[in-house]
Every structure is written in C-alpha cells, then in structure tokens.
Amino acid sequence: MLRFGRALIKFGRGLLGWLGIFNLLSAIANAPNLGWLAQRRNDGVLGALLAVWGWRGGRWRWLSVWLAVSIQLGLASLRSLWHNPLRNFAAGSSSCEPIKIMLDSGQHVPGLWYAKSHTNTAILYLHGAGNDKTRYATRAIDQLQQAGFSVLAIDLAGQGENPRTLDVPDSNTDVAAGVAWLRQHAQKVVVVAVSLGGCIGSRAIADGVAVDGLVIIGSPVVLDLESNHYIRSEIRAFLRPAFWQYPDRMTLFQLWQQWQAPPMRIAIGFNQLFPTLNLNDSLSRIRAPILLVYGQRDRIAPYQAVLSNLATIPDVTLQLMPEHSHLTLPMESFPLSAITTWIHERIESSEGAINV
C-alpha cells in the first residue's frame, strides 16, 4: 500500500510537471489560447515552477503525458469559458447590428452589420458550407474591421437563420440583396467569400451582380471528401503555433463548438452543388478585380484546379499560402493581412468604376 501511495505521488508530480511544461511552451509560443492564465508572464512563471518541481516524478512522468495533454486542453478551454470571442460577433453585441434584408418574395436575408465610420469601402462576407455568418468568421471579420472596412456578414440560403433552401441559381439572390444593401452605405463594395461562399458569390457576380472586387478564400472547383488526406492536412495545420497566436484567445473547445452546425438545407445533392456552381466558368466571366487566396496544404480545395484556369480570368491575383490548409486560411493573421492589403492597394486606390 505504501509503495502504491509513493507511485501515485510520483505520477501526480509527473502530471503537474507536464502541465507546467505545456503552460511554459504556450507562453513562449505566445499562444495563451493553450495556457491556463490570461497573462503570458503568469503562464510562463507558473509553468516553469511546475515543470521544475514535477520533473522529479521519475519514470512515472512518462506515463502521465497523455493524461496531461487532455487536462491541459480542458483547463485552457475552461479558463476561456467567460472569454468567448463569438460573443462579440453575435446578435445583441455592441459591436454589430442585426439586420434583415427584405426580398420581393416577402422572405429575408439575415445579416450582421459591423459599421465603421468614415469608410468608402464595405465588405460583403460570405461564409463556407455548413457554417453561418459567425462560425469560423470572427477572425476574418475582426481583421477586416481593424483595416478600416465596414462588414456585412449574411447567412446564405439553407444555412444559419436564412429560411430559404439553397438552390442554383436562386443562390444569386442572397448576394444581390447584400450588395444592394451595402450600396446604400458605401461607395465601393467588395465580396470576401470563403469556400462554398466563394462559389456562390462568383456565380452571382458572373450572372450580373455588380461589385468593385472579389476575394476568394479556398473555394473548391470540385469537392472530394471521400479521402482521409484532407483530415490529416487539417490536423497538421492546426498544430502550427501561428494558428493559436491570434489575440482572440479562441480555444480548442470553442472551435469544436463552431463545428456543431445544423445540417444544410439543399435542393440538390451536396456533391452536385459545386459542379453546378462551376467556379472556373464563373471566374472567367467576371471583369472585376479578383484575388484568389489558396493554401498549399489544402486538400479540400486544391489550388491546382484553379491554377489550370488562371489564364482565362481577366483580372486576377493569386496568393498561395505555404503550410496553410482549408480552415486556417480565414483564421490566421498572415493570409488575412494579405487580403486587406490587396483591397487597400487594388480597390481603394482605383477610380472606383464598377466592374462586372
């Protein structure tokens, strides 16, 4: 019994030692999302003390490492329960205004309006498949606002609070309504669209919705989710420190919460949706300036499918992001900064003629 008690104590010390090391690493990497405390200095000091004290746990410390990983992520998520970045990007927040854009049919397009004073350019933000106007969108909206742009994020048909079923070409209605609403608030309108939102936005603009610029973030030409390669590429991307260094302190648990979205309401099969929208054809028919942002590790939307059609696009800039996957593109500072820089330099500095 005494031997078991000693082993248990050493196991506990080893466990605390690992927690100290993980906390110290989160502080060194400037990733407070993965630490216990809000202050980087406190994370580092506490982590160093626990690591030194717990490292004397002997061989038991190696048996406790996997339990320590689970506890570390759990404590980090628990610490951030009262600091959820989604609260600043939802209806009722002081940072945005819920709106309903009424359609001729009597239905509406729900949106959130993040207004900036004295701005000439407004952004229409279109989310990806299975998401809505806030899920996986908070960092992109935050960065666009910091760059001085007003942002309107809408729920596309079949997702979020939008009551309509997603169908093609009826999907043009959401984009047209959002652009028309923004024309009342800004001189220039740029569509920033992620994944499926990029395919829907491109189709609407190609069919006649007038905009001043279009940013496509990881939109697939065709979708292949049968292989497990995309899962491995997403996991590798999430392991990079850069993803966790964004100052919103979003935790793994909060990312998982955003993943739990209701099923999409689609009139056609999901696998038929992307070929029907036909991204390459849409891009070749758009004369407005286009920025294509793709990750070199993205297995959901491989950039090669767009690269082969690049010569047919009248006015295009391609940004390939090394080490980025599908989900990290709209959630890390580097690609988001590239997007805001392009809008400033390419759209705001132009004469402002509407390109269609």
Side-chain angles (χ1 to χ4, degrees):
M1 189 68 179
L2 183 61
R3 181 178 298 178
F4 175 77
R6 288 176 178 173
L8 191 61
I9 291 172
K10 289 184 177 181
F11 182 86
R13 289 191 69 166
L15 182 65
L16 289 175
W18 281 116
L19 293 176
I21 290 173
F22 296 151
N23 235 39
L24 177 61
L25 291 175
S26 73
I28 293 173
N30 193 25
N33 324 51
L34 301 178
W36 302 350
L37 306 175
Q39 299 295 326
R40 178 182 174 185
R41 178 179 297 178
N42 291 343
D43 272 337
V45 171
L46 179 60
L49 291 175
L50 284 176
V52 172
W53 183 79
W55 199 247
R56 298 179 62 187
R59 63 187 177 89
W60 293 99
R61 64 176 179 263
W62 300 108
L63 299 177
S64 61
V65 60
W66 296 113
L67 179 59
V69 170
S70 301
I71 293 176
Q72 177 74 18
L73 295 176
L75 288 175
S77 295
L78 182 64
R79 187 213 72 196
S80 292
L81 284 179
W82 59 86
H83 179 81
N84 190 338
L86 283 174
R87 292 173 186 163
N88 297 325
F89 298 88
S93 168
S94 59
S95 65
C96 62
E97 174 190 354
I99 66 166
K100 291 183 178 180
I101 305 174
M102 299 308 299
L103 305 175
D104 293 338
S105 63
Q107 295 177 308
H108 70 277
V109 178
L112 291 175
W113 172 233
Y114 307 85
K116 298 286 287 188
S117 59
H118 310 298
T119 179
N120 294 323
T121 302
I123 307 297
L124 177 62
Y125 188 86
L126 306 179
H127 60 78
N131 298 325
D132 59 25
K133 55 187 176 293
T134 58
R135 295 175 189 271
Y136 297 108
T138 57
R139 291 182 176 181
I141 294 172
D142 176 60
Q143 194 115 344
L144 289 165
Q145 281 191 291
Q146 288 185 35
F149 304 120
S150 294
V151 182
L152 171 62
I154 63 173
D155 282 338
L156 295 170
Q159 298 161 94
E161 298 175 321
N162 195 314
R164 296 177 11 260
T165 298
L166 177 58
D167 199 1
V168 181
D170 178 65
S171 53
N172 293 355
T173 303
D174 296 323
V175 183
V179 170
W181 191 89
L182 285 176
R183 288 290 179 200
Q184 304 172 36
H185 297 81
Q187 295 178 5
K188 298 181 180 180
V189 175
V190 177
V191 172
V192 176
V194 181
S195 193
L196 173 63
C199 300
I200 292 175
S202 298
R203 174 64 181 265
I205 296 168
D207 286 351
V209 176
V211 299
D212 296 277
L214 170 65
V215 178
I216 298 291
I217 307 175
S219 295
V221 175
V222 293
L223 197 64
D224 177 18
L225 298 181
E226 300 298 326
S227 168
N228 288 328
H229 292 302
Y230 80 94
I231 298 177
R232 291 195 292 268
S233 70
E234 296 302 323
I235 292 175
R236 283 197 299 267
F238 278 128
L239 292 176
R240 296 166 53 250
F243 182 82
W244 302 101
Q245 289 171 347
Y246 201 86
D248 64 351
R249 305 209 311 269
M250 184 178 291
T251 65
L252 186 64
F253 177 70
Q254 289 163 353
L255 285 171
W256 179 83
Q257 282 182 308
Q258 295 182 63
W259 187 267
Q260 307 305 304
M264 295 174 61
R265 304 179 305 279
I266 317 176
I268 60 177
F270 185 73
N271 291 334
Q272 297 175 313
L273 187 58
F274 291 90
T276 303
L277 287 166
N278 198 343
L279 178 62
N280 276 339
D281 174 71
S282 296
L283 293 176
S284 67
R285 294 190 286 125
I286 297 173
R287 299 197 176 276
I290 298 174
L291 173 65
L292 302 176
V293 183
Y294 282 82
Q296 290 187 336
R297 288 189 175 273
D298 191 344
R299 298 295 181 267
I300 297 176
Y303 69 89
Q304 292 88 346
V306 173
L307 193 63
S308 61
N309 200 51
L310 209 60
T312 67
I313 306 174
D315 187 346
V316 64
T317 302
L318 175 64
Q319 289 265 15
L320 293 180
M321 299 293 166
E323 304 302 320
H324 279 276
S325 70
H326 196 66
L327 291 179
T328 63
L329 279 174
M331 298 190 71
E332 284 192 24
S333 294
F334 183 70
L336 293 175
S337 295
I339 290 168
T340 57
T341 298
W342 181 85
I343 296 174
H344 280 305
E345 295 178 351
R346 184 66 180 84
I347 306 302
E348 290 201 312
S349 61
S350 67
E351 293 297 324
I354 299 174
N355 297 284
V356 180

